[in-house]
Amino acid sequence: MHKAKTVLDFHRMKAEGEKITVLTSYDFPMTGVIDAAGIDMILVGDSVGVVVAGFDNTLPVTMEDMIYHTRAVMRARPKAFVVADMPFLSYQTDLKSARLNAGLLVKEGGAAAVKIEGGVNVAETIAAITAMDIPVMGHIGLTPQSLHRMGGYKVQGKGDAQAEKLVEDARAVEAAGAFAIVLEGIPMGLAQRITAELTIPTIGIGAGPHCDGQVLVIHDILGLCSKYSPKFVKRYAELAPIIGEAVANYIADVKGGTFPEERHCFK
Ligand code: KIV
């Protein structure tokens, strides 16, 4: 049995050099499996819109979707620390609605923390939410909700000026009170520099090995998402063909009259 994680664990882990493991999860059964395996943190990501709902990007995801999926995750009573993503338009328009929506993810969803995309531009929002005692995780670099500004899912922080801007963003997120920050799609040297400079843990995705922890999308590592597989993903299983074979066997059994058998029937 592993102990339930809190924000204090992540600061200790950074100080002691213990890597922080993070995966996304969006439902009850998957959460039970990955929690029992010992994952440190679960992110109910707005990536749910892409890998579960089939949208082309995360922009259509709503607060209703995020509360629904966060509740499903929390019903598994995970020992992992659960962070819920704030979806597009739930925190960008004004501080009052940002505070209310963060509160709803905690009060109705049951999450322990929320995640917000952006740097200097959302520092005031991070400060307003942390002032309500809701821990906030920042997210800079390749921020999927900024897809149209970036002109696609492109690595960020490549030139000197862009790199300096990201360092400034990271500092602003930490100064605003975030307990951790996701660094997505940035050069590994830049991620190493930000990790060394910040006192809060950095969680990398496509940001190299020097971050304090790593996050990946569960569907990507299990081979359940065939549409798109980014360079930074490592596949630990290929479940799509296994599921396909099981379903083909079921179809053959039903069509051939070999299922159900007597042991599956009531008398
Ligand atoms: O939505 C998500 O899953 C994320 C992670 C990939 C960092 O933001």
Side-chain angles (χ1 to χ4, degrees), residues 91 155 166 208 213:
Y91 60 95
V155 174
L166 283 183

Side-chain angles (χ1 to χ4, degrees), residues 24 26 43 45-47 85 115 117 139 182 184 205 215 217:
T24 66
Y26 319 101
L43 171 65
D46 60 356
S47 50
D85 243 337
K115 177 167 79 60
E117 294 184 11
H139 183 166
V182 171
E184 178 164 358
I205 172 164
V215 57
V217 169

Side-chain angles (χ1 to χ4, degrees), residues 58-146:
T58 58
L59 299 179
V61 176
T62 64
M63 272 298 295
E64 204 180 355
D65 297 332
M66 291 309 302
I67 291 172
Y68 175 87
H69 285 282
T70 306
R71 291 177 83 177
V73 163
M74 294 313 295
R75 272 182 221 118
R77 300 188 170 277
K79 294 269 191 283
F81 186 81
V82 176
V83 180
D85 243 337
M86 295 199 67
F88 179 61
L89 229 49
S90 70
Y91 60 95
Q92 290 93 342
T93 55
D94 60 276
L95 293 182
K96 189 176 171 198
S97 54
R99 279 194 290 254
L100 177 65
N101 287 324
L104 288 173
L105 288 167
V106 172
K107 190 182 176 92
E108 293 186 8
V114 298
K115 177 167 79 60
I116 288 183
E117 294 184 11
V120 172
N121 60 325
V122 295
E124 211 187 337
T125 311
I126 294 174
I129 296 170
T130 54
M132 296 166 70
D133 288 340
I134 296 175
V136 177
M137 185 182 227
H139 183 166
I140 63 167
L142 193 171
T143 44
Q145 292 176 17
S146 315

Side-chain angles (χ1 to χ4, degrees), residues 152-256:
Y153 297 114
K154 296 184 192 313
V155 174
Q156 302 293 300
K158 270 184 152 175
D160 283 353
Q162 261 206 35
E164 289 312 315
K165 168 77 177 82
L166 283 183
V167 172
E168 201 187 312
D169 280 336
R171 286 181 188 141
V173 167
E174 172 166 277
F179 79 96
I181 184 168
V182 171
L183 305 180
E184 178 164 358
I186 67 172
M188 56 191 274
L190 176 58
Q192 184 173 20
R193 179 179 160 198
I194 293 172
T195 301
E197 187 169 319
L198 297 191
T199 60
I200 58 172
T202 60
I203 309 295
I205 172 164
H210 304 294
C211 299
D212 298 305
Q214 297 290 329
V215 57
L216 284 173
V217 169
I218 187 75
H219 289 62
D220 288 341
I221 73 162
L222 296 182
L224 279 171
C225 201
S226 54
K227 217 159 79 171
Y228 174 64
S229 186
K231 175 187 165 94
F232 56 77
V233 169
K234 179 172 175 183
R235 288 209 185 197
Y236 289 84
E238 289 295 341
L239 293 193
I242 294 173
I243 295 170
E245 192 184 329
V247 172
N249 287 338
Y250 167 71
I251 293 168
D253 278 359
V254 174
K255 299 265 187 203

